[in-house]
């Protein structure tokens, strides 16, 4: 039997100021496979993550939905929490009820709450279908190529080289230096550019 | 080539010499001008400065009339040209406005015709035709081609030529044996709109244009605009008085000089309408 | 520059273009074209005798046409490597065989007119793009400033070349038209920047500061000089930047808030007409020299470079970072990083910071022996793949190839083409799954089944 845990994040007042979280929680409890629903002021904080880990262990959850911000923000954070709790980090789904909901519908809290329900329902439906995924490993050639021998290319090449790695610096002109070498003095220190 | 001719108010009154020479030039180049029946005012500049809708609808009616005849419009007056192309552009880019305009003028406009200035129509007939029609090369004329603002600005809408350094008129005169000077005031404002309200500014701007034309070595100015021409021509005496200068540059319509080159008799060209006496300059032509 | 050239860990390939990039993060294979220099780098001592004897002089690109250079040349005296190349377009010997002076005078016999391009292949784990910027060509659009017809209307970079001690005027500011020292210099900012109509919509970021510097340099170097700066805004968001601008004001630079509408010659002066919006009046300055702060744009050929390496550019042609705030030096292609103005206009301090940041990302990658890949990538179901390879055509990362599989059908072994996903190259964008007509491609973690479950839930 699939057991989904859903964590509803307030994001301070970012989400909770618009979306009616207690009402949302009541609704989410009715979704299929949902075994656990929990609110948190900040799911991404350390206590917030601990709450997720604790719930996974105590309730034997096998997959998790966090309804909070964009996955570009904190997907990795929550995946690590799953891993700590012994779950495959891909048994996870995020519902973005901040960027996709509370921020853009700040003036329509009722509609925003209904939309948040849809977003979480979607995430729960998807997470019910996910399977564990496993990372692959590839080898790494320990050499870098820097394309362009101006100020940016030279600085990058020197920094990588100083760290002990081989660097190839390619420049299409017959000399390195780029635009920098054309300059006289540079602000704000007015020292020479070469 | 056959065009719907839109004379506007100037060409039938203050710029009669422009009208006459335009018709002469077009005839020599095989361009037929068919006056748009029942044409009305283009609206400049009283309409568009008070009501946007009127500013578009008034010139649009003329376009609709020409479209009914199936003719592209030629407008010698730069201000008319501007109002007509602007109306055309706005209706093509704003369907809601077009619908409103059609309702106001109780006519359809499908946007199937184009609008040209006389300058364009003449050039499109080909420099070859012009050199063929050439009878009296304009030797000795050093012309400052003064395009004014209306034909080239804003460049998105009025695009007779480059907005800062147009050459279309220069090329005509060079083909007709005249010299044209390279000068930086080709598209500067002549202050036509301030003639009545702020004469001080008008005199300064007119002075600047004459000064720079003279400094650039010109012995006359040619323009395609029936607002620039009188505005400069009529101001020369006032400018000379106010600034203690001694300008005597004749201000021509470009078609007057073209007609002259095509052999139209001087006596017919109504040079007596000019304030600055051009006969001395044209004595050898 | 010299530090980079002498660093034992850095291999320098100058006069070299990147021809082809294959592979994926940790395992790139790069083909480089070393262009023919016609000078043997091993034998040449960089003595410079050939440069002084070359009879053909052409406009120097490096000095933006202000000065001249020979056809065997170093762009500037401190060039690294300090050895010349022959310009094959203008060299008389290479055009029609009639010259050969440089080979005759070379004391080490380094000149080789038979030199050919050479292709080199290198294996690398990471690539840093640092292709920089070029300047917006104002002469095409700014007719009111004369379309480049007035020699004394120059750009900030011309100004820099003249002030540079090794530049074409030996560090002296001179009017290109007559060589006179200019006393009244007008600077115009935002030429091509913040100008939707004629140029680009963005701010080029460095111009406010270098224009303040230029104004100061005019006032310092030329007695009785005057510097006027026409500006839209003065933007000084950097450490010590506002103070630097205030210094320019204290030294007497006249800042006029407004655009310049026209520049035209009057005698040997240039009349600069603009508006001073703070007093609401038209102003005219008779200038000896006008310096335009032109917009920074992506360097020529940078779009082609993005295609070769395989990542995207933004609406202005700058290289797109993976995230504007959180991943500013990475691209969406694994193992490809960004440094400097190729990502967007930048000044020197920002460029150096970003370059070091990119270096850290590279070092982080190279310090591992192997790395985990994102498992959310495309997977192919070979059983239902029809081998149409539409997926291959749409893949922006060159991650899909054809492969042949053998299978039994009706007692016979038949060979069949199917698509194959390279798990190192695939970035999980999903373009192929949309293109796949038979539904054979699925993005792991975003399978068709999972997406449909979401749609069903949303439609409840």
């Amino acid at each position: 039997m699939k057991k989904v845990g859903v964590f509803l994040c307030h994001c301070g007042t970012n989400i909770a100021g618009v979306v009616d979280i207690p009402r949302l929680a009541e609704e989410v409890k009715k979704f299929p496979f949902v075994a656990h629903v929990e609110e948190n002021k900040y799911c991404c904080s350390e206590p917030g993550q601990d709450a997720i880990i604790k719930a996974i262990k105590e309730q034997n959850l096998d997959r998790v939905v966090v309804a909070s911000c964009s996955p570009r923000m904190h997907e990795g954070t929550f995946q690590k929490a799953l891993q700590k709790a012994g779950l495959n980090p891909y048994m996870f789904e995020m519902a973005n009820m901040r960027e996709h909901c509370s921020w853009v519908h700040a003036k329509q809290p009722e509609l925003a709450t209904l939309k948040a329900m849809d977003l979480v329902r979607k995430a729960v439906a998807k997470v019910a279908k996910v399977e564990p995924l496993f990372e692959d490993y590839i080898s790494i050639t320990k050499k870098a190529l820097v394309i362009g021998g101006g100020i940016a290319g030279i600085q990058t090449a020197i920094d990588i080289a100083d760290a002990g790695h081989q660097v190839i610096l390619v420049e299409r002109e017959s000399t390195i230096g780029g635009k920098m070498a054309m300059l006289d003095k540079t602000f704000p220190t007015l020292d020479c550019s070469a | 080539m056959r065009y719907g001719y839109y004379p506007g108010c100037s060409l039938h009154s203050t710029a009669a010499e422009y009208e006459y020479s335009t018709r002469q030039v077009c005839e020599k180049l095989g361009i037929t001008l068919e006056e748009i029946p029942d044409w009305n005012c283009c609206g400049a500049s009283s309409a568009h400065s008070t009501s946007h809708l009127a500013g578009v609808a008034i010139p649009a009616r003329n376009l609709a009339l020409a479209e009914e005849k199936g003719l592209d419009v030629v407008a010698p007056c730069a201000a008319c040209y501007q109002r007509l192309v602007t109306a055309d552009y706005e209706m093509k880019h704003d369907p809601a406005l077009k619908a409103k305009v059609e309702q106001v003028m109780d006519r359809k406009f499908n946007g199937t015709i184009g609008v040209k200035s006389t300058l364009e129509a003449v050039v499109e007939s080909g420099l070859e035709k012009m050199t063929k029609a050439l009878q009296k090369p304009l030797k000795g004329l050093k012309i400052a081609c003064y395009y004014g603002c209306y034909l080239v600005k804003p460049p998105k809408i009025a695009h007779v030529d480059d907005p800062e350094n147009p050459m279309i008129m220069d090329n005509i005169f060079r083909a007709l044996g005249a010299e044209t000077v390279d000068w930086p005031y080709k598209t500067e404002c002549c202050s036509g709109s301030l003639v009545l309200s702020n004469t001080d500014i008008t005199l300064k701007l007119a002075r600047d244009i004459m000064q720079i034309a003279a400094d650039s070595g010109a012995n006359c100015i040619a323009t395609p605009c029936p607002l620039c021409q009188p505005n400069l021509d009529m101001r020369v005496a006032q400018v000379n008085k106010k600034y203690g200068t001694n300008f005597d540059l004749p201000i021509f319509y470009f078609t007057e000089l073209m007609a002259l080159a095509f052999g139209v008799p001087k006596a017919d060209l109504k040079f007596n309408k000019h304030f600055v006496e051009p006969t001395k300059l044209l004595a050898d032509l | 520059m010299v530090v980079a050239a002498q660093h034992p860990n850095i291999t320098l390939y100058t006069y070299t273009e990147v021809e082809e990039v294959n592979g994926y993060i940790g395992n790139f294979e790069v083909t480089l074209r070393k262009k023919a220099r016609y000078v043997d780098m091993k034998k040449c001592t960089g003595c410079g005798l050939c440069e002084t004897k070359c009879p053909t002089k052409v406009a120097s690109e490096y000095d933006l046409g202000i000065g001249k250079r020979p056809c065997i040349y170093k762009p500037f005296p401190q060039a690294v490597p300090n050895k010349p190349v022959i310009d094959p377009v203008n060299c008389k010997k290479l055009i029609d065989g009639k010259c050969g002076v440089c080979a005759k005078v070379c004391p080490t016999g380094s000149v080789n007119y038979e030199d050919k391009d050479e292709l080199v292949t290198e294996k690398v784990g990471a690539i840093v793009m640092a292709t920089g910027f070029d300047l917006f060509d104002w002469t095409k659009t700014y007719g009111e400033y004369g379309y480049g017809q007035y020699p004394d209307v120059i750009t900030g970079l011309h100004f820099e070349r003249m002030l540079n001690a090794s530049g074409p005027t030996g560090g002296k500011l001179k009017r290109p038209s007559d060589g006179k020292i200019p006393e009244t210099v007008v600077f115009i900012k935002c030429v091509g920047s913040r100008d939707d109509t004629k140029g680009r919509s963005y701010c080029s970021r460095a111009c406010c500061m270098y224009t303040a510097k230029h104004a100061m340099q005019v006032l310092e170097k030329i007695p009785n000089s005057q510097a006027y700066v026409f500006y839209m805004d003065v933007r000084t968001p950097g450490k010590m930047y506002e103070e630097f601008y205030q210094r320019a004001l204290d030294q007497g630079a006249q800042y006029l808030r407004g655009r310049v509408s026209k520049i035209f010659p009057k005698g040997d002066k240039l009349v600069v007409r603009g508006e001073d919006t703070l007093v609401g009046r038209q102003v005219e300055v008779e200038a000896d020299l006008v310096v335009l702060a032109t917009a920074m744009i992506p360097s020529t050929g940078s779009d082609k470079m993005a295609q070769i390496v395989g990542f995207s550019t933004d609406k202005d042609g700058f290289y797109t970072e993976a995230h504007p705030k959180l991943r500013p030096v990475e691209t969406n292609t694994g193992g490809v990083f960004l440094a400097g103005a190729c990502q967007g206009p930048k000044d020197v301090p920002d460029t150096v910071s970003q370059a070091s940041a990119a270096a850290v990302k590279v070092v982080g990658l190279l310090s591992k022996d192997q790395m985990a890949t994102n498992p959310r990538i495309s997977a192919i179901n070979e059983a239902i793949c029809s081998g149409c390879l539409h997926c291959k055509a749409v893949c922006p990362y060159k991650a899909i190839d054809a492969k042949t599989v053998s299978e039994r059908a009706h007692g016979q072994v038949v060979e069949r083409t199917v698509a194959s996903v390279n798990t190192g190259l695939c970035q999980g964008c999903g373009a192929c799954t949309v293109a796949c007509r038979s539904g054979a491609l699925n993005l792991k973690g975003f399978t068709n089944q999972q997406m449909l479950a979401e749609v069903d839930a949303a439609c409840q």
Side-chain angles (χ1 to χ4, degrees):
Chain A
M1 184 62 190
K2 293 164 184 169
K3 287 184 83 177
V4 180
V6 181
F7 298 85
L8 305 173
C9 181
H10 292 195
C11 195
T13 56
N14 271 304
I15 298 169
V18 179
V19 174
D20 183 344
I21 302 277
R23 194 174 138 204
L24 174 65
E26 281 314 303
E27 185 66 21
V28 171
K29 281 180 191 158
K30 300 176 200 159
F31 295 164
F33 307 120
V34 172
H36 177 78
V37 181
E38 188 174 333
E39 294 176 33
N40 206 307
K41 197 148 205 143
Y42 292 103
C43 286
C44 59
S45 65
E46 210 173 314
Q49 293 184 49
D50 289 344
I52 295 172
I53 295 168
K54 187 162 160 256
I56 292 172
K57 287 185 176 158
E58 287 178 359
Q59 314 268 335
N60 270 331
L61 303 174
D62 68 348
R63 48 201 82 206
V64 169
V65 169
V66 177
S68 56
C69 52
S70 161
R72 293 189 71 157
M73 199 73 207
H74 278 306
E75 187 178 49
T77 313
F78 297 125
Q79 284 183 309
K80 282 197 190 98
L82 261 70
Q83 233 167 348
K84 274 193 203 161
L87 274 187
N88 180 288
Y90 294 92
M91 304 300 282
F92 172 71
E93 194 59 28
M94 268 177 102
N96 182 356
M97 54 173 192
R98 193 177 73 174
E99 284 86 340
H100 285 180
C101 190
S102 68
W103 276 358
V104 282
H105 306 303
K107 294 202 174 117
Q108 297 139 300
E110 170 65 20
L111 289 172
T113 304
L114 294 177
K115 181 171 173 182
M117 289 174 190
D118 285 346
L119 291 172
V120 179
R121 190 185 310 110
K122 264 174 46 178
V124 171
K126 186 182 169 196
V127 87
K129 298 253 179 204
V130 299
E131 286 163 6
L133 297 176
F134 299 94
E135 284 151 359
D136 220 354
Y137 288 88
I138 50 175
S139 63
I140 289 168
T141 311
K142 299 202 168 215
K143 197 186 233 186
L145 169 72
V146 177
I147 303 176
I151 185 165
I154 292 174
Q155 184 69 44
T156 311
I158 291 174
D159 286 351
I160 299 170
D162 279 348
H165 297 291
Q166 291 293 314
V167 183
I168 300 166
L169 179 56
V170 173
E171 166 59 50
R172 65 179 167 191
E173 300 299 333
S174 63
T175 171
I176 56 172
K179 293 278 186 298
M180 177 191 65
M182 300 169 84
L183 309 181
D184 176 38
K185 291 169 174 157
T186 54
F187 65 84
T189 48
L190 288 187
D191 41 11
C192 95
S193 57
Chain B
M1 194 61 204
R2 195 177 189 81
Y3 287 107
Y5 175 57
Y6 180 79
C9 56
S10 300
L11 279 267
H12 277 192
S13 56
T14 52
E17 68 271 43
Y18 191 13
E19 156 117 297
Y20 178 75
S21 54
T22 297
R23 286 194 175 277
Q24 291 295 317
V25 166
C26 287
E27 199 187 306
K28 305 273 182 205
L29 296 175
I31 300 169
T32 311
L33 299 177
E34 185 180 326
E35 191 158 321
I36 300 170
D38 195 32
W39 60 267
N40 56 263
C41 169
C42 74
S45 25
S46 34
H48 63 268
S49 53
T50 47
S51 152
H52 180 229
L53 180 62
V56 177
I58 292 175
R61 182 174 175 275
N62 298 310
L63 296 176
L65 289 171
E67 191 176 55
E68 283 163 23
K69 287 254 168 196
L71 294 173
D72 284 350
V73 175
V74 157
C77 170
C80 296
Y81 164 80
Q82 244 251 352
R83 288 321 306 160
L84 293 168
V85 283
T86 304
D88 186 44
Y89 179 91
E90 292 211 25
M91 285 194 293
K92 277 177 183 153
H93 288 80
D94 186 346
L97 177 70
K98 178 171 170 276
K100 226 188 253 176
V101 167
E102 286 180 336
Q103 194 193 359
V104 168
M105 61 184 188
D106 196 19
R107 279 199 149 75
K108 287 271 161 215
F109 177 64
N110 301 317
T112 58
I113 56 160
V115 180
K116 282 182 190 143
S117 70
T118 319
L119 206 46
E120 288 169 290
V122 163
V123 165
E124 277 171 27
S125 74
L127 284 179
E128 206 175 293
K129 261 192 188 159
M130 274 183 232
T131 43
K132 226 179 239 173
L134 176 62
Q135 293 188 13
K136 280 197 249 169
L138 301 171
K139 284 220 169 67
L141 290 192
K142 291 179 183 162
I143 308 171
C145 290
Y146 178 60
Y147 296 78
C149 55
Y150 278 135
L151 292 179
V152 289
K153 290 175 184 175
K156 202 162 62 176
I157 298 173
H159 41 67
V160 168
D161 200 356
D162 186 279
E164 301 294 340
N165 188 24
M167 286 301 291
I168 178 168
M169 202 194 327
D170 292 70
N171 292 336
I172 295 175
F173 286 134
R174 286 177 189 177
L176 299 180
E179 272 179 57
T180 64
V181 301
D182 186 19
W183 68 311
Y185 260 51
K186 286 180 175 180
T187 62
E188 287 301 294
C189 175
C190 77
S191 84
S193 57
L194 296 171
V195 168
L196 301 175
S197 55
N198 197 332
T199 321
D200 278 351
I201 289 183
T202 301
L203 291 180
K204 182 193 179 290
L205 294 186
R207 193 266 322 246
D208 289 352
I209 291 167
M210 293 175 204
Q211 182 73 57
I212 290 182
D215 287 351
S216 310
N219 56 18
C220 64
I221 293 175
T223 177
C225 177
L227 303 171
C228 299
Q229 195 275 344
N231 194 33
L232 294 176
D233 192 26
M234 286 160 61
R235 300 288 155 205
V236 174
Q238 277 172 284
V239 165
N240 283 341
K241 194 173 158 203
K242 178 168 179 188
Y243 293 102
T245 47
N246 207 7
F247 297 123
D248 60 350
L249 297 177
I251 320 288
F252 294 107
Y253 288 107
F254 79 105
T255 45
E256 290 180 302
L257 294 178
M258 286 185 76
L260 198 62
F262 293 164
V264 177
K266 253 185 263 181
D268 295 349
L269 281 168
K270 307 181 199 233
F271 286 129
N272 57 351
K273 287 196 82 220
H274 284 228
F275 282 73
V276 180
E277 185 55 58
T279 41
K280 204 172 81 191
L281 179 68
L282 302 177
D284 297 336
L285 292 171
Chain C
M1 281 160 59
V2 180
V3 177
Q6 293 176 349
H7 202 294
N9 285 347
I10 298 179
T11 311
L12 197 57
Y13 284 115
T14 53
Y15 217 47
T16 299
E17 307 251 10
V18 176
E19 192 98 340
E20 204 182 339
V21 174
N22 286 309
Y24 49 90
I25 181 168
N27 301 277
F28 293 106
E29 193 175 291
V30 184
T31 310
L32 304 172
R33 175 178 294 273
K34 292 173 77 176
K35 293 181 278 190
R37 298 180 80 107
Y38 306 99
V39 172
D40 188 325
M41 295 288 278
K42 288 197 191 87
K43 288 191 205 158
C44 175
T45 60
C47 72
L49 189 59
C50 53
E51 296 180 71
T52 61
K53 301 290 181 193
C54 172
T56 317
K57 302 274 192 291
V58 296
S60 157
E61 302 86 355
Y62 201 77
D63 291 333
L64 308 165
I66 304 175
K68 288 200 178 296
R69 63 154 172 84
C71 288
I72 182 162
Y73 69 107
K74 291 176 274 199
F76 59 105
Q78 300 80 24
V80 176
N82 204 255
K83 290 169 189 181
V85 290
I86 293 182
D87 160 14
V89 178
N90 293 301
C91 168
K92 285 224 157 50
K93 176 76 183 174
L94 292 175
I95 297 171
D96 53 19
K98 289 180 198 141
C99 184
V101 168
C102 48
K104 275 182 216 133
V105 299
C106 178
T108 60
S110 312
V111 177
N112 168 19
Y113 299 116
E114 305 298 317
D115 199 11
K116 293 269 178 311
D117 287 6
E118 189 190 337
L119 291 179
V120 188
T121 313
E122 290 276 1
K123 286 197 159 112
V124 296
I127 298 176
V128 180
M129 306 304 299
T131 53
F133 70 97
D134 269 323
L135 288 180
F136 172 78
D137 183 4
W138 67 277
T139 63
K140 296 260 167 29
T141 50
Y142 278 82
E144 62 268 47
Y145 300 167
Y147 288 126
Q149 297 300 304
Y150 311 136
D152 296 330
V153 180
I154 61 173
T155 70
L157 203 55
H158 286 95
F159 186 95
E160 291 285 351
R161 283 315 291 149
M162 284 201 267
L163 249 51
N164 190 308
S166 64
T169 56
K172 284 234 160 45
L173 189 60
K174 290 178 180 173
R175 283 158 50 104
S177 61
D178 54 14
K180 280 191 199 153
I181 308 286
E183 286 188 352
T184 305
V185 182
V186 169
F187 295 91
I188 306 175
K189 295 204 284 187
C190 299
V191 176
S193 309
R194 304 175 69 198
D195 186 344
D196 275 330
T197 318
K198 289 174 185 283
R200 310 299 178 100
S201 54
Y202 54 79
C203 164
S204 290
R205 295 188 66 204
C207 331
C208 279
M209 293 305 293
Y210 74 63
T211 300
K213 186 201 70 162
H214 288 171
M216 262 192 266
Q217 285 177 311
V218 166
L219 296 169
E220 275 168 12
K221 285 185 183 248
I222 303 171
N224 302 320
S225 60
Q226 280 188 301
Y228 295 91
V229 181
F230 282 90
Y231 69 100
M232 299 211 282
D233 292 294
V234 179
R235 296 179 169 179
T236 56
K239 194 166 171 175
M240 296 304 288
Y241 283 20
E242 179 63 22
E243 293 89 330
F244 188 87
Y245 159 56
Q246 290 299 335
R247 226 169 97 197
L249 292 178
D250 290 345
Q251 290 190 13
Q254 296 288 324
Y255 272 67
L256 299 161
R257 188 176 202 275
R259 295 293 284 171
V260 169
S261 62
K262 195 171 182 72
I263 300 173
F264 61 93
K266 187 178 174 190
D268 70 343
K269 299 255 184 189
L270 290 163
V271 178
V272 180
R273 176 185 296 157
E275 190 188 8
D276 184 338
T277 56
L278 297 182
V279 280
R281 270 180 183 272
Q282 200 179 57
V283 287
E284 273 183 17
V285 181
E286 289 195 4
D288 298 308
L289 184 72
V290 179
V291 184
L292 310 177
T294 45
M296 282 193 210
I297 58 170
S299 73
T300 317
S302 63
D303 48 344
K304 201 178 139 215
M305 212 57 246
Q307 277 173 14
I308 290 173
V309 181
F311 59 91
S312 58
T313 54
D314 66 19
K315 70 174 176 40
D316 296 306
F318 288 110
Y319 293 163
T320 315
E321 64 283 354
H323 188 285
K325 282 185 290 188
L326 303 175
R327 295 173 67 200
V329 299
E330 293 156 78
T331 66
N332 276 319
T333 301
V336 179
F337 304 93
L338 303 176
C342 63
Q343 180 257 346
K346 250 173 224 71
D347 59 16
V348 175
D350 285 1
T351 297
V352 172
S353 315
Q354 205 199 15
S356 292
V360 166
K361 291 282 171 189
V362 171
V363 169
L365 177 63
L366 298 190
S367 60
K368 295 179 209 157
D369 291 324
Q370 54 176 21
M371 66 171 290
T373 58
N374 180 4
R376 283 193 277 214
I377 55 171
S378 268
I380 183 110
N381 181 348
E382 287 176 5
I384 55 173
C385 173
S386 68
C388 74
L389 297 178
H390 279 306
C391 50
K392 184 176 172 186
V394 299
C395 177
Y397 303 101
K398 303 182 216 162
I400 298 183
D401 257 323
K403 103 174 173 189
T404 308
V405 289
S406 317
E407 56 190 29
R408 269 185 186 284
H410 310 295
Q412 280 182 315
V413 176
V414 286
E415 290 204 328
R416 198 161 68 82
T417 301
V418 294
S420 152
V421 179
N422 180 318
T423 54
L425 284 175
C426 178
Q427 303 289 320
C429 75
C432 57
T433 65
V434 183
C436 180
R437 295 171 179 187
S438 55
L441 276 159
N442 254 315
L443 200 56
K444 287 192 269 183
F446 295 91
T447 63
N448 292 341
Q449 236 195 345
Q450 291 162 356
M451 307 299 275
L452 283 172
E454 279 197 278
V455 174
D456 280 344
C459 295
Q460 267 175 29

